[in-house]
Amino acid sequence: MANNITVWNLSEYSSNTALRDDRMMLTYSELEEFCSVFKSKVGERCLIFILGAQCVECAAGYIASINNGIVPLVVDEKMDRELFDKLVATYSPKYFWIPKNLNLHEYETVFSYNQYILVKTGNEGPAINDDLALLLTTSGSTGSNKLVRLSYKNIISNTNSICSYLEIKSDDRAILVLPLHYTYGLSVLNTHILKGGEVVFTEKRFYTADFWQYAKEIGVTSFAGVPYHYETLYKTNMITRIWDAVETFTCAGGKLDKKLVQQYAEQAENNHRRFFVMYGQTEATARISYLPYNLATQKAGSVGIGIPGMRIELVNDNDELITQPNKEGNIICYGENIFMGYATAVNDLSEASGSQRLETHDRGYFDEDGYLYLCGRNDRYVKIYGSRVSLDELEDILKQEYKTNEIICCKKDERIVIIIYGVLCSENDIKKYLGEKTGFPHSTFEVKNVVDIPRLSNGKINYVALMEHINSN
């Protein structure tokens, strides 16, 4: 498929602005020209590692790779060098597309474009399956060799579906605070470039007045964030500034507190704006479901219905289909956006696609109207005294009781650790309250106060680093 596929028809929107950051802008005509030069420098279908920064050069390199049949692995530009070298040793890429300021002098630079350089590694490169388009690290990855393999069909299917329900058009302009190595961030880029829209990068902080004033001045129409972004906007009182600047808001990448969903949904409606809650995974190329914005208040807490072309089912632990409403089960998805499978070694890059069935390892239920509600990850369920306990449900109970979002629950050996940050809560009160709610002895619970929560670059909680910090103290 790689020899005859074009994901984006750049010439269709030649005079439109495609990419912009604080230093430069690229029209679609200029982007198309860059893609041609990039192809001539790389010369053939091969594997390239892209270190993802929030800038025009990085986005242009990604677009040029996909549209020219070059397979990129997009990783965090701040990835630890030892972990980066481990990926290089495992997968033997032929090129890097990286910021100039990185200290990789041992490799040959073959092309320079503003603040990025194309570097030749000296590797011959691996054999690659014809359908393989893109590689991404698994969500929350902390240096594992495990990669998600995405095909051209995956990207095209998911991109078209998102464009359909968000109604993205050529005059749309997205401001992107999500990193490009994160599938949600890439989906914003993919969709807007498909429709001839514009993607904006800026070093301005999303929780400042300067950011939203800038968004208003340049005519930004959409903002995509994870729960952390919306929680921060609420805490910094920026929620009162955003409606005047942007028309469409999307939230995915985790569970936003139901009360906050209601607040955002109500204010969006009052200001004639759109607020979408969505659900997705890297293995689904980005998006699985969405809640129509006109139901965001009525169905607050739901992640909605399957995107166009996606079928969502629930099965029990025996893999039997659940058809009753309000009955919890394992979430299974089917569609053309379901990934090709994982790669853990270089030979996996030449393997064919797997099935179009995805076991999400999330649990949820449908209401009477067929709208999906998430209950948590399977790995966020723990066995305590023989009982199955959802850490996400415990968090929700505590957040409602103490009227704060600053509480996280984790498992440590045979106990549950309650991590509190930014607020004062009595340790004894929390243990007593949870004891009453769960029936477990107070000794089941350990309460820790922290001054900050480590996060991944996509805004999600870094549970590994958090527990390392707790254990070291």
Side-chain angles (χ1 to χ4, degrees):
M1 180 177 285
N3 294 326
N4 56 10
I5 197 75
T6 299
V7 175
W8 301 284
N9 183 6
L10 304 177
S11 61
E12 184 177 351
Y13 307 101
S14 58
S15 62
N16 289 12
T17 300
L19 302 170
R20 178 202 306 237
D21 62 23
D22 295 334
R23 300 168 295 103
M24 62 183 295
M25 297 168 58
L26 271 189
T27 65
Y28 277 83
S29 177
E30 292 167 335
L31 179 59
E32 186 176 27
E33 182 180 350
F34 170 83
C35 290
S36 179
V37 173
F38 195 87
K39 181 180 181 181
S40 71
K41 298 299 181 181
V42 175
E44 61 183 331
R45 178 168 166 80
C46 62
L47 178 64
I48 184 171
F49 280 14
I50 297 178
L51 266 63
Q54 299 297 91
C55 65
V56 166
E57 295 95 329
C58 178
Y62 163 78
I63 292 165
S65 295
I66 297 291
N67 248 22
N68 287 316
I70 302 159
V71 180
L73 165 62
V74 187
V75 298
D76 188 350
E77 65 163 335
K78 297 176 182 176
M79 175 179 275
D80 177 81
R81 179 63 191 270
E82 184 179 342
L83 299 178
F84 179 77
D85 289 344
K86 183 180 176 184
L87 284 171
V88 172
T90 301
Y91 293 104
S92 298
K94 193 165 186 176
Y95 290 95
F96 301 149
W97 181 240
I98 58 176
K100 278 183 180 177
N101 59 5
L102 289 184
N103 185 21
L104 295 178
H105 301 305
E106 64 268 38
Y107 299 108
E108 176 191 359
T109 298
V110 296
F111 172 55
S112 176
Y113 181 70
N114 295 326
Q115 295 187 2
Y116 260 63
I117 52 176
L118 181 68
V119 172
K120 194 170 187 178
T121 66
N123 296 325
E124 285 300 314
I128 301 172
N129 185 276
D130 285 346
D131 293 332
L132 183 62
L134 172 65
L135 296 167
L136 293 172
T137 56
T138 54
S139 296
S141 175
T142 55
S144 166
N145 285 342
K146 189 175 184 180
L147 303 177
V148 171
R149 297 186 297 135
L150 297 174
S151 70
Y152 295 98
K153 180 186 290 186
N154 294 156
I155 295 172
I156 292 169
S157 172
N158 205 241
T159 300
N160 282 325
S161 293
I162 296 170
C163 286
S164 173
Y165 74 78
L166 289 182
E167 299 178 305
I168 295 172
K169 305 178 294 297
S170 62
D171 58 356
D172 278 317
R173 182 175 288 115
I175 193 162
L176 190 55
V177 299
L178 300 166
L180 289 178
H181 65 271
Y182 177 31
T183 182
Y184 184 12
L186 274 183
S187 74
V188 176
L189 180 61
N190 291 342
T191 50
H192 284 75
I193 297 301
L194 179 69
K195 292 298 183 178
E198 181 180 333
V199 177
V200 179
F201 305 97
T202 180
E203 293 184 1
K204 294 176 175 63
R205 303 294 184 180
F206 74 92
Y207 48 79
T208 64
D210 283 350
F211 178 95
W212 295 101
Q213 182 61 33
Y214 173 69
K216 182 179 179 180
E217 287 174 357
I218 67 171
V220 165
T221 60
S222 67
F223 174 86
V226 298
Y228 165 72
H229 294 112
Y230 290 100
E231 290 164 2
T232 303
L233 288 172
Y234 179 77
K235 286 189 290 187
T236 55
N237 207 31
M238 278 295 118
I239 188 174
T240 59
R241 296 288 303 268
I242 65 177
W243 309 111
D244 192 37
V246 176
E247 299 170 3
T248 299
F249 298 82
T250 62
C251 180
K255 186 177 181 181
L256 183 63
D257 181 76
K258 183 178 178 180
K259 290 182 179 178
L260 273 185
V261 172
Q262 289 175 322
Q263 286 209 36
Y264 276 101
E266 288 171 4
Q267 291 198 33
E269 186 176 350
N270 293 339
N271 287 278
H272 307 289
R273 300 299 191 237
R274 305 190 303 167
F275 181 73
F276 289 88
V277 174
M278 310 186 300
Y279 164 55
Q281 288 189 356
T282 304
E283 291 85 347
T285 315
R287 200 62 51 236
I288 290 173
S289 71
Y290 74 102
L291 181 63
Y293 72 94
N294 59 331
L295 295 176
T297 303
Q298 178 186 342
K299 296 286 188 182
S302 170
V303 293
I305 55 178
I307 64 171
M310 170 66 71
R311 186 171 98 250
I312 305 173
E313 294 180 348
L314 297 179
V315 298
N316 61 23
D317 291 339
N318 294 320
D319 210 30
E320 298 167 333
L321 187 66
I322 296 173
T323 57
Q324 308 96 305
N326 303 309
K327 186 170 182 180
E328 184 179 320
N330 300 307
I331 300 172
I332 309 294
C333 301
Y334 303 85
E336 289 189 346
N337 57 315
I338 302 304
F339 74 140
M340 296 176 68
Y342 294 110
T344 57
V346 68
N347 291 340
D348 295 330
L349 303 187
S350 60
E351 293 296 314
S353 297
S355 69
Q356 293 185 350
R357 181 181 193 267
L358 173 64
E359 297 181 11
T360 66
H361 301 289
D362 288 325
R363 293 181 65 82
Y365 66 90
F366 290 113
D367 68 8
E368 293 83 354
D369 300 317
Y371 284 78
L372 180 65
Y373 291 74
L374 300 181
C375 298
R377 296 280 297 168
N378 276 324
D379 57 10
R380 293 278 291 157
Y381 283 77
V382 298
K383 276 287 186 75
I384 302 291
Y385 299 109
S387 298
R388 198 164 185 259
V389 179
S390 167
L391 296 175
D392 291 328
E393 286 183 11
L394 283 185
E395 282 181 12
D396 288 342
I397 290 170
L398 289 169
K399 287 174 181 178
Q400 290 175 22
E401 175 66 15
Y402 292 95
K403 296 178 174 57
T404 178
N405 290 316
E406 321 296 334
I407 294 177
I408 297 170
C409 295
C410 296
K411 184 176 184 290
K412 178 184 176 183
D413 300 323
E414 298 305 314
R415 290 187 292 177
I416 294 173
V417 182
I418 316 300
I419 300 163
I420 303 169
Y421 62 106
V423 293
L424 293 175
C425 299
S426 165
E427 178 178 346
N428 289 333
D429 284 350
I430 288 177
K431 288 183 175 182
K432 181 180 178 183
Y433 177 73
L434 286 178
E436 291 171 353
K437 286 290 182 181
T438 64
F440 298 148
H442 294 185
S443 59
T444 306
F445 307 103
E446 181 179 340
V447 180
K448 296 283 187 181
N449 286 278
V450 297
V451 296
D452 195 19
I453 295 295
R455 292 185 180 273
L456 300 166
S457 56
N458 59 19
K460 294 183 179 182
I461 295 169
N462 188 334
Y463 286 101
V464 174
L466 180 60
M467 289 311 297
E468 285 177 353
H469 173 71
I470 294 298
N471 292 332
S472 67
N473 288 274

